[in-house]
Amino acid sequence: MATSTPDPSLPPLIGEAAAFAGVLSEVSRMAPLARPVLVVGERGTGKELIAARLHYLSRRWEQPFLKLNCGALPETLLEAELFGHEAGAFTGALRRRLGRFELADGGTLFLDEIASAGAAVQEKLLRAIEYGEFERLGSSETRRGDVRVIAAANVDLPELVAAGRFRADLLDRLAFDVVTLPPLRARRGDILLLAEHFGRAMARELGRRFAGFAPAARAALEGHDWPGNVRELKNVVERAVYRAEAEDRLIAEVTLDPFASPFRPAAAPAAADATPANEPATPPERSSPAPGFADRVAAFERELIEEALRRQRHNQRRAATALGLTYHQFRHQLRRHGLIGIA
């Protein structure tokens, strides 16, 4: 069984499947190199754990290992988090603050959801990775740092490059080598192995004994497709352990969908669903499409925005990326088309 616990605060990487063991072997070979690495895989496959393994198996293991989710911040704040800022660089910047590149000097910086970074941040990232140079916001002084960058994505970055939504030169620089993590459905032999591990850990946390899973529960775990991968499996197992009534009995039931209930509320209709299927979408405050060219263009723009919001589950940042817009451009379009209230 392949396991790794480079940092006691992180869960171990556990698995016997050939696809997973191959990834760990590949990571061990590339860990000593001071080169960027791109880690790709579906949500919940353990990209951050792979980044930690790359760091702790490298010569930088005693130096900082910092993490930043690029999808969690608007572009201006993301730039400030990465490169720091001087006092007064923007509203609210009351004092100088060091960025992650300065703080990670000599160590490793893990950038999750790298595809969410906007064009300006991508350009500065390229320079920082290529030459080790950057400036704090509000400063013209060039600084240098020795940082190994590990980036992660759960989308097809070459496809984004082809669509003009990600810099080809940045992708080339990040992809010195690429680690592709297999989804859990591609390593089914590891499902029960992981479930037993998570079950024992949860039982220890509760001060209980873990007896294991009954055949019906084991069959349910092995038969599920696990779209949320290892993270979803961990939630399912921990939920089953804490709900178990007797610690000396095998767990007979697992709840795969915690939302399953006869009283589950209906989903709120999307904004465009109010428009009858046989009628085109209309600009705000119009009962029917106007015959003018400008109004028809506006109606089409609104339809594109609403569709992007639906597809991205009303996550504005991802909807903006899907349309090839910056977050601020997207917000301007929302205001322009009267969609702020539904986004």
Side-chain angles (χ1 to χ4, degrees):
M1 177 176 67
T3 64
S4 174
T5 50
D7 182 337
S9 67
L10 295 172
L13 290 163
I14 296 175
E16 295 178 339
F20 183 70
V23 166
L24 293 189
S25 177
E26 180 183 1
V27 167
S28 296
R29 286 196 302 273
M30 68 178 65
L33 303 176
R35 295 289 188 278
V37 176
L38 186 60
V39 185
V40 298
E42 297 178 6
R43 62 185 176 91
T45 49
K47 295 184 288 295
E48 183 176 325
L49 298 181
I50 291 295
R53 183 180 180 90
L54 284 164
H55 172 74
Y56 287 107
L57 293 181
S58 76
R59 299 180 182 90
R60 299 170 179 255
W61 68 275
E62 291 185 305
Q63 302 304 316
F65 173 56
L66 301 185
K67 299 166 278 188
L68 182 62
N69 187 327
C70 297
L73 296 170
E75 186 167 11
T76 302
L77 291 182
L78 176 59
E79 185 177 348
E81 280 292 324
L82 283 169
F83 306 113
H85 62 76
E86 299 291 343
F90 53 86
T91 303
L94 302 180
R95 59 179 62 88
R96 173 186 293 172
R97 183 177 179 183
L98 303 186
R100 303 298 173 96
F101 264 91
E102 284 187 81
L103 295 172
D105 190 25
T108 303
L109 178 59
F110 172 58
L111 301 177
D112 200 5
E113 295 193 33
I114 188 66
S116 300
V121 171
Q122 288 183 36
E123 182 177 358
K124 293 188 176 183
L125 269 175
L126 175 63
R127 181 177 171 220
I129 295 170
E130 184 77 39
Y131 302 110
E133 296 180 347
F134 59 92
E135 289 88 31
R136 296 181 190 145
L137 287 180
S139 172
S140 59
E141 180 183 353
T142 298
R143 300 179 180 277
R144 297 190 59 83
D146 173 21
V147 179
R148 184 189 194 184
V149 172
I150 300 172
N154 59 5
V155 295
D156 189 330
L157 288 177
E159 185 176 295
L160 293 186
V161 168
R165 287 155 46 195
F166 198 83
R167 291 183 65 115
D169 47 5
L170 177 58
L171 180 60
D172 289 342
R173 194 68 185 94
L174 289 171
F176 168 78
D177 209 344
V178 179
V179 178
T180 303
L181 297 181
L184 190 54
R185 61 183 175 275
R187 39 183 295 216
R188 290 198 174 274
D190 290 340
I191 291 174
L192 292 181
L193 190 69
L194 287 161
E196 294 281 341
H197 168 77
F198 294 138
R200 287 191 296 269
M202 186 62 177
R204 282 195 302 270
E205 182 179 332
L206 297 172
R208 299 180 184 174
R209 174 176 169 271
F210 177 65
F213 294 99
R218 294 166 69 91
L221 292 171
E222 289 186 303
H224 188 51
D225 207 32
W226 301 111
N229 294 291
V230 178
R231 185 183 297 122
E232 181 188 4
L233 173 63
K234 185 173 186 287
N235 284 340
V236 168
V237 169
E238 290 182 346
R239 183 165 55 241
V241 172
Y242 101 81
R243 287 181 177 180
E245 296 182 358
E247 63 181 76
D248 58 341
R249 295 181 185 176
L250 295 175
I251 295 175
E253 183 178 351
V254 293
T255 302
L256 297 173
D257 181 5
F259 294 97
S261 168
F263 308 111
R264 180 176 180 175
D273 291 346
T275 303
N278 60 345
E279 294 183 18
T282 61
E285 302 179 3
R286 288 185 181 272
S287 58
S288 61
F293 176 80
D295 287 334
R296 292 188 181 187
V297 170
F300 180 62
E301 289 176 350
R302 179 187 173 101
E303 184 178 351
L304 287 177
I305 292 169
E306 290 174 336
E307 176 64 14
L309 285 168
R310 284 197 301 274
R311 288 181 176 274
Q312 303 301 328
R313 299 183 178 181
H314 288 263
N315 183 306
Q316 293 182 15
R317 193 164 304 285
R318 292 179 181 173
T321 300
L323 292 174
L325 301 173
T326 67
Y327 176 73
H328 296 296
Q329 289 172 335
F330 186 75
R331 291 286 296 178
H332 171 73
Q333 292 297 327
L334 289 178
R335 286 191 294 270
R336 179 167 171 259
H337 291 285
L339 295 173
I340 287 290
I342 70 162

mmCIF file of all heavy atoms in Angstrom, residues 184-201:
data_model
loop_
_atom_site.group_PDB
_atom_site.id
_atom_site.type_symbol
_atom_site.label_atom_id
_atom_site.label_comp_id
_atom_site.label_asym_id
_atom_site.label_seq_id
_atom_site.Cartn_x
_atom_site.Cartn_y
_atom_site.Cartn_z
ATOM 1 N N LEU A 184 -11.357 8.954 -8.452
ATOM 2 C CA LEU A 184 -11.540 7.777 -7.602
ATOM 3 C C LEU A 184 -12.201 6.629 -8.357
ATOM 4 O O LEU A 184 -11.919 5.460 -8.081
ATOM 5 C CB LEU A 184 -12.379 8.153 -6.369
ATOM 6 C CG LEU A 184 -12.482 7.108 -5.260
ATOM 7 C CD1 LEU A 184 -11.117 6.640 -4.795
ATOM 8 C CD2 LEU A 184 -13.292 7.661 -4.085
ATOM 9 N N ARG A 185 -13.055 6.938 -9.322
ATOM 10 C CA ARG A 185 -13.722 5.871 -10.091
ATOM 11 C C ARG A 185 -12.736 5.086 -10.950
ATOM 12 O O ARG A 185 -13.052 3.989 -11.412
ATOM 13 C CB ARG A 185 -14.819 6.465 -10.959
ATOM 14 C CG ARG A 185 -14.348 7.457 -11.983
ATOM 15 C CD ARG A 185 -15.497 8.078 -12.775
ATOM 16 N NE ARG A 185 -15.019 9.121 -13.671
ATOM 17 C CZ ARG A 185 -14.827 10.375 -13.307
ATOM 18 N NH1 ARG A 185 -15.083 10.747 -12.057
ATOM 19 N NH2 ARG A 185 -14.385 11.275 -14.175
ATOM 20 N N ALA A 186 -11.525 5.666 -11.167
ATOM 21 C CA ALA A 186 -10.498 4.962 -11.932
ATOM 22 C C ALA A 186 -9.582 4.144 -11.030
ATOM 23 O O ALA A 186 -8.671 3.482 -11.517
ATOM 24 C CB ALA A 186 -9.680 5.956 -12.748
ATOM 25 N N ARG A 187 -9.827 4.170 -9.734
ATOM 26 C CA ARG A 187 -9.028 3.392 -8.769
ATOM 27 C C ARG A 187 -9.980 2.775 -7.736
ATOM 28 O O ARG A 187 -9.836 2.961 -6.528
ATOM 29 C CB ARG A 187 -7.975 4.285 -8.110
ATOM 30 C CG ARG A 187 -8.420 5.683 -7.785
ATOM 31 C CD ARG A 187 -7.346 6.561 -7.197
ATOM 32 N NE ARG A 187 -6.867 6.139 -5.913
ATOM 33 C CZ ARG A 187 -6.509 6.965 -4.914
ATOM 34 N NH1 ARG A 187 -6.614 8.274 -5.069
ATOM 35 N NH2 ARG A 187 -6.058 6.509 -3.781
ATOM 36 N N ARG A 188 -10.955 2.016 -8.243
ATOM 37 C CA ARG A 188 -12.011 1.471 -7.380
ATOM 38 C C ARG A 188 -11.471 0.550 -6.302
ATOM 39 O O ARG A 188 -12.081 0.405 -5.244
ATOM 40 C CB ARG A 188 -13.066 0.753 -8.226
ATOM 41 C CG ARG A 188 -13.888 1.721 -9.065
ATOM 42 C CD ARG A 188 -15.180 1.108 -9.561
ATOM 43 N NE ARG A 188 -15.996 2.106 -10.231
ATOM 44 C CZ ARG A 188 -16.851 2.917 -9.633
ATOM 45 N NH1 ARG A 188 -16.990 2.844 -8.313
ATOM 46 N NH2 ARG A 188 -17.543 3.803 -10.306
ATOM 47 N N GLY A 189 -10.344 -0.076 -6.569
ATOM 48 C CA GLY A 189 -9.767 -0.943 -5.554
ATOM 49 C C GLY A 189 -9.340 -0.202 -4.310
ATOM 50 O O GLY A 189 -9.110 -0.811 -3.258
ATOM 51 N N ASP A 190 -9.223 1.120 -4.396
ATOM 52 C CA ASP A 190 -8.804 1.922 -3.246
ATOM 53 C C ASP A 190 -9.978 2.447 -2.418
ATOM 54 O O ASP A 190 -9.762 3.036 -1.356
ATOM 55 C CB ASP A 190 -7.971 3.123 -3.715
ATOM 56 C CG ASP A 190 -6.605 2.717 -4.234
ATOM 57 O OD1 ASP A 190 -6.146 1.607 -3.897
ATOM 58 O OD2 ASP A 190 -5.994 3.509 -4.980
ATOM 59 N N ILE A 191 -11.213 2.276 -2.900
ATOM 60 C CA ILE A 191 -12.363 2.881 -2.227
ATOM 61 C C ILE A 191 -12.504 2.352 -0.798
ATOM 62 O O ILE A 191 -12.590 3.124 0.170
ATOM 63 C CB ILE A 191 -13.651 2.640 -3.038
ATOM 64 C CG1 ILE A 191 -13.610 3.448 -4.336
ATOM 65 C CG2 ILE A 191 -14.887 3.022 -2.207
ATOM 66 C CD1 ILE A 191 -14.769 3.178 -5.274
ATOM 67 N N LEU A 192 -12.524 1.038 -0.630
ATOM 68 C CA LEU A 192 -12.695 0.480 0.718
ATOM 69 C C LEU A 192 -11.466 0.724 1.582
ATOM 70 O O LEU A 192 -11.578 0.921 2.795
ATOM 71 C CB LEU A 192 -13.003 -1.017 0.631
ATOM 72 C CG LEU A 192 -14.369 -1.374 0.030
ATOM 73 C CD1 LEU A 192 -14.576 -2.878 0.027
ATOM 74 C CD2 LEU A 192 -15.499 -0.684 0.792
ATOM 75 N N LEU A 193 -10.297 0.729 0.955
ATOM 76 C CA LEU A 193 -9.066 1.025 1.693
ATOM 77 C C LEU A 193 -9.139 2.425 2.310
ATOM 78 O O LEU A 193 -8.852 2.620 3.499
ATOM 79 C CB LEU A 193 -7.878 0.917 0.738
ATOM 80 C CG LEU A 193 -6.477 0.965 1.334
ATOM 81 C CD1 LEU A 193 -6.200 -0.293 2.137
ATOM 82 C CD2 LEU A 193 -5.461 1.093 0.196
ATOM 83 N N LEU A 194 -9.559 3.381 1.500
ATOM 84 C CA LEU A 194 -9.705 4.749 1.988
ATOM 85 C C LEU A 194 -10.840 4.861 2.999
ATOM 86 O O LEU A 194 -10.725 5.571 3.998
ATOM 87 C CB LEU A 194 -9.959 5.693 0.805
ATOM 88 C CG LEU A 194 -8.750 5.975 -0.087
ATOM 89 C CD1 LEU A 194 -9.197 6.522 -1.443
ATOM 90 C CD2 LEU A 194 -7.801 6.963 0.580
ATOM 91 N N ALA A 195 -11.936 4.157 2.732
ATOM 92 C CA ALA A 195 -13.086 4.223 3.637
ATOM 93 C C ALA A 195 -12.718 3.703 5.031
ATOM 94 O O ALA A 195 -13.106 4.299 6.046
ATOM 95 C CB ALA A 195 -14.250 3.423 3.061
ATOM 96 N N GLU A 196 -11.978 2.623 5.084
ATOM 97 C CA GLU A 196 -11.556 2.089 6.378
ATOM 98 C C GLU A 196 -10.645 3.090 7.101
ATOM 99 O O GLU A 196 -10.756 3.284 8.318
ATOM 100 C CB GLU A 196 -10.814 0.755 6.179
ATOM 101 C CG GLU A 196 -11.681 -0.370 5.636
ATOM 102 C CD GLU A 196 -12.537 -1.005 6.727
ATOM 103 O OE1 GLU A 196 -12.213 -0.843 7.917
ATOM 104 O OE2 GLU A 196 -13.535 -1.667 6.368
ATOM 105 N N HIS A 197 -9.749 3.719 6.356
ATOM 106 C CA HIS A 197 -8.853 4.707 6.962
ATOM 107 C C HIS A 197 -9.638 5.883 7.535
ATOM 108 O O HIS A 197 -9.425 6.291 8.687
ATOM 109 C CB HIS A 197 -7.849 5.202 5.925
ATOM 110 C CG HIS A 197 -7.090 6.415 6.359
ATOM 111 N ND1 HIS A 197 -6.047 6.357 7.261
ATOM 112 C CD2 HIS A 197 -7.249 7.726 6.041
ATOM 113 C CE1 HIS A 197 -5.592 7.576 7.473
ATOM 114 N NE2 HIS A 197 -6.293 8.424 6.749
ATOM 115 N N PHE A 198 -10.550 6.440 6.736
ATOM 116 C CA PHE A 198 -11.342 7.574 7.210
ATOM 117 C C PHE A 198 -12.259 7.169 8.363
ATOM 118 O O PHE A 198 -12.501 7.957 9.278
ATOM 119 C CB PHE A 198 -12.166 8.154 6.060
ATOM 120 C CG PHE A 198 -11.342 8.790 4.971
ATOM 121 C CD1 PHE A 198 -11.661 8.597 3.629
ATOM 122 C CD2 PHE A 198 -10.254 9.577 5.282
ATOM 123 C CE1 PHE A 198 -10.909 9.174 2.625
ATOM 124 C CE2 PHE A 198 -9.481 10.168 4.283
ATOM 125 C CZ PHE A 198 -9.814 9.961 2.951
ATOM 126 N N GLY A 199 -12.763 5.943 8.321
ATOM 127 C CA GLY A 199 -13.627 5.466 9.397
ATOM 128 C C GLY A 199 -12.892 5.349 10.718
ATOM 129 O O GLY A 199 -13.396 5.771 11.765
ATOM 130 N N ARG A 200 -11.689 4.800 10.683
ATOM 131 C CA ARG A 200 -10.901 4.685 11.913
ATOM 132 C C ARG A 200 -10.542 6.060 12.475
ATOM 133 O O ARG A 200 -10.590 6.290 13.685
ATOM 134 C CB ARG A 200 -9.630 3.864 11.648
ATOM 135 C CG ARG A 200 -9.882 2.378 11.473
ATOM 136 C CD ARG A 200 -8.567 1.602 11.485
ATOM 137 N NE ARG A 200 -7.718 1.975 10.349
ATOM 138 C CZ ARG A 200 -7.741 1.370 9.176
ATOM 139 N NH1 ARG A 200 -8.591 0.365 8.969
ATOM 140 N NH2 ARG A 200 -6.929 1.750 8.202
ATOM 141 N N ALA A 201 -10.172 6.977 11.572
ATOM 142 C CA ALA A 201 -9.791 8.317 12.018
ATOM 143 C C ALA A 201 -10.978 9.034 12.666
ATOM 144 O O ALA A 201 -10.831 9.700 13.702
ATOM 145 C CB ALA A 201 -9.262 9.126 10.842
#
